[in-house]
Amino acid sequence: MATTTETKVSGSSAGLSWARVCKECGQQHEGPDSHLYEYQDEVDDELVCHICLQPLLRPMDTPCGHTYCFHCLSNFLKEQDFCPVDRQRLQLHQCRPSSLLVRNLLDKLVVTCPHSAECQQQMQRCELQPHLHNRCPVFKRLREEAEKRKRPSWNELKGRKGDVESSGDAKHSATPSRNHTRDQPEPGLINPAFEESEEDNTPLRSSLVAEANVVELFRDEPEEELGLRIVGGKDTPLGNIVIQEIVRDSLAARDGRLAPGDHILEVNDVSLAAVPHSRAIAVLQQPSLLRLTVMQEKGFKIRDHHNPGTVLQVTLMKSQRTEPLGIKLIRKSDESGVFILDLLSGGLAAKDGKLRNNDKVLAINGHDLRHGTPESAAQIIQGSEVRVNFVVMRPAEAPDDGGSGRAARRAPEPQYFRRRSTYMKDPPGGFSSQEKTVSLKKEPRLSLGITIAGGRDCRSRLPVYITSVQPIGCLHRDGTIKRGDVLLSINGVDLTQLTYNEAVSALKAQTAQSQVVLRVIQTLSEDPEDDADAANKDELDPADDLRDDGLNWTPLWTRWLGLPSHMHWCRDIVLHKTNSESWGFSIVGGYEESHGQQPFFIKTIVPGTPAHFDGRLKCGDEIVAVNGATTVGMNNSSLIPMLKLQKNKVTLTVVSWPGSLV
């Protein structure tokens, strides 16, 4: 049996500070994953890491049968290429996370709250973090003291203009990769997200906090996608590389630490501050371990009556390990995570009475399920002993306030419409398009040899575009048509307003003719490096096209920026707020001397604001009109006051392109 050898460092809260205390284990320690716990019992040797000699954290199994903490092993293999115990050759990508049984045994180890001078609670290790954030009096006091210390006056915030740093330790100063000086704030950050209320001297929120954090992601397979959709790059108005979306059930979603709106500053010590979009994609596609340095908006502390819901902990005790809980779990199409659909009458959960239909399951027995699936939740429940601890988010009751409620009172999904003639604009600087026409004589049974995607029924209302040009078709021999080209017409039949199935039918019907005239649009970038990288990404081996039929290929986000305005589909998004609130997003774009007239793009969406709660706006969306008035021709200093003048309601007309998938 093994016992822990770490010194208890925080039995008393004297000398502790919120900035230095770990938000997961509650103690002060070196490194992002060197968590310290005060175990109540001796720990079996089988559950101890052979490197740090402590109970395993994020255990990883080697092919030779040994188990180490993920952080210990990854650090060791940066210097060596063998197993620390038997010295067999070893690389990190050969290792796999330990079984659910081992992780459950570790989660159940009993620990004491590290602030034992004022809080003597004991709990399972997996329950320590929820305890610290929801019940520990010392943790609560440290957090409140820190918020008071770093809350600047609102005049000070306005005086800083674009600098969103709220205190000396907000960590913007720790990001040397940013390519602008502190005296020259980024355009777009003097924004409605940071507006002081003129009617209420008591702000609804404390100061905005942005932190630089390091997130390590490990690909089990070299080709596995991270599950991030990204926008931005030095060749776009956004500048930085920004996460637009986390793909459900992906590696990033299961990890849970990244979120939409995070700015990726570095990848494996390679700065992304001054690279084009396609180069950032290549850096993020490195195999195995990725160490991301990200700037994360922590949002605002919100008054209770504005909370989107209440976090509750519910513990169910089974009479025996195999007893079912009587809970039906589902997933929703419009929100990631696991939700309670129903509690079976007479079941354990229904008798307990604390869980409700539509509760969102955040965690079960310490396993993060914010981006989980009903299947993974069921597996955790089935593998648990008699005690099952739920952490759930219960939606706030929809207020009867005449329509100013948040997501619960959102209007029906708006209809998409073609960009109006008064909203027309040129593509961003550096992007353009050209039209191409191909006329072919062919045998009636000979295929064109292309696969397509998109259509006005698909997400984001993308135009119909070519996903592959097969080597068996006549278009491949011609060589004019490329993957990523947008289809305009075939033999005079307009394809731009068709659904996917309608476009497939039209192509099949016209391909039967002996003469085919195909019109397409190809988007272009003026950045040589970007074009070279895009070409490398687009020109894959023909065997790859045949294997997956091109169905999984999607263009880079930047490929859509060059499309002419008449190809854009818009939608209206209506946001509501109270007079004392800000809308909660920042913008870049408008007229700039160095780049001329640029479209307006959303760069940041701040947690805890109307834009965040509504959920439809995304980083990288283009704002083409406000309350029906076009933004074309406006500069940044004109649009921002216009947005601030809208007191309770604003209608944003936006075009949204899907971020590049990595």
Side-chain angles (χ1 to χ4, degrees), residues 31-43:
D33 290 317
S34 308
H35 301 303
L36 303 176
Y37 296 95
E38 298 176 12
Y39 299 91
Q40 286 307 290
D41 305 304
E42 290 188 343
V43 179

Side-chain angles (χ1 to χ4, degrees), residues 2 18 76 110 205 216 282 306 333 352 361 374 412 464 488 506 517 597:
W18 179 252
F76 181 86
V110 178
R205 306 182 179 92
E216 290 185 342
H306 277 150
S333 60
D352 178 79
V361 180
V464 177
L488 298 178
V517 178
Q597 182 64 46

Side-chain angles (χ1 to χ4, degrees), residues 472-510:
I472 58 174
C474 53
L475 284 176
H476 181 267
R477 291 197 300 270
D478 178 84
T480 305
I481 303 298
K482 303 290 185 183
R483 173 155 57 175
D485 288 352
V486 173
L487 290 168
L488 298 178
S489 69
I490 182 168
N491 289 348
V493 177
D494 185 4
L495 301 174
T496 62
Q497 301 198 52
L498 302 184
T499 66
Y500 172 78
N501 288 331
E502 290 169 347
V504 170
S505 298
L507 286 170
K508 285 182 177 179
Q510 296 303 318

